[in-house]
Amino acid sequence: MQLISLSFADLALAAIGVIALAVTTAMLRLGVARTLVVAAIRTAAQLCLVGLILEAVFAERAFVWIALIALTMLLLAGREAAARQTRRFTGGYGFAAGTISMFLSAFVTTVLTLVVVIRVEPWYTPQYAIPLLGMLLGNTMTGIALALDRLTQNAWREAAVIEARLALGATAGQAVADIRREAMRAGMIPMINAMAAAGIISLPGMMTGQILAGSSPWEAVKYQILIMFLIAAGTGFGTLSAVTLGARRLFDDRHRLRLERLRRATS
């Protein structure tokens, strides 16, 4: 089966639904019409730009350009994870914790998959490396953002309980053990829900894309299972790492709670 190419006219027809939704929300005075339109325009512009860049990178296949794209993706994911916090760590610590965690989880998982599982030559072949890294970073970013937000919010709200535990002789780790566990669970629940619903409630994106591109359903299923397992490992270990780093930042070397290291987001 050959892939059916879409024209810009086809995309314009698809955009009618978004325009109709924007008009409807404006009539209902929901206050999201402008945001919806801007988001739609940004989606189209950003994806077109990425498409042009990837066309060039796929043709060139140079490691330096692939590495530069991967680094850019990592830094932007770290920024997004930090920006989603209601109470952010001061001094860019949230960005650093998220970026380091995603590097240790998503990057390592991607490289191991390319070298050990898929065994593509060379291992940095862009048509495999960039999509895999993008899917892992996107899901890991969401998990880390949710986990850090839950950690800092609960630490701020339950400061009196934490202080009481410290006064009774608990260490910093013991004082926030339950908060840390809850934060880790919050970061991993979306990934677990996605795995539980895959194939029964929804057809995941990669599998759908491969089927539309003409791959056999069975081959698409095998790749989707691979991706789901990779996302689970990357998101899980990334979340655990980020929460561990975040929990340490909440205390000093003398096991004192330091809430001044958190600030409320201004936007």
Side-chain angles (χ1 to χ4, degrees), residues 44-66:
Q46 290 168 182
L47 289 177
C48 287
L49 178 60
V50 168
L52 292 174
I53 294 174
L54 292 182
E55 284 278 1
V57 171
F58 283 15
E60 189 70 23
R61 297 168 65 92
F63 175 77
V64 62
W65 291 113
I66 299 169

Side-chain angles (χ1 to χ4, degrees), residues 15-162:
I16 293 176
V18 178
I19 297 173
L21 177 61
V23 172
T24 303
T25 56
M27 294 174 61
L28 295 175
R29 299 181 181 178
L30 300 182
V32 297
R34 178 183 175 85
T35 304
L36 178 62
V37 172
V38 171
I41 294 173
R42 283 190 58 181
T43 296
Q46 290 168 182
L47 289 177
C48 287
L49 178 60
V50 168
L52 292 174
I53 294 174
L54 292 182
E55 284 278 1
V57 171
F58 283 15
E60 189 70 23
R61 297 168 65 92
F63 175 77
V64 62
W65 291 113
I66 299 169
L68 182 60
I69 289 177
L71 178 61
T72 302
M73 293 166 64
L74 174 65
L75 295 177
L76 290 176
R79 177 186 176 279
E80 284 299 314
R84 297 182 187 184
Q85 308 305 308
T86 303
R87 295 194 180 275
R88 305 174 187 175
F89 287 101
T90 59
Y93 188 87
F95 168 78
T99 303
I100 291 172
S101 299
M102 281 185 277
F103 176 79
L104 294 177
S105 57
F107 264 68
V108 171
T109 302
T110 300
V111 173
L112 285 176
T113 302
L114 293 171
V115 174
V116 178
V117 181
I118 300 179
R119 297 186 294 276
V120 61
E121 290 291 342
W123 64 268
Y124 55 85
T125 300
Q127 71 190 71
Y128 287 92
I130 294 177
L132 281 176
L133 179 60
M135 284 184 284
L136 284 172
L137 278 179
N139 286 274
T140 304
M141 176 191 71
T142 300
I144 288 175
L146 291 172
L148 287 180
D149 188 60
R150 181 67 61 88
L151 174 72
T152 54
Q153 288 268 55
N154 286 355
W156 185 275
R157 184 168 51 248
E158 300 180 24
V161 176
I162 297 173

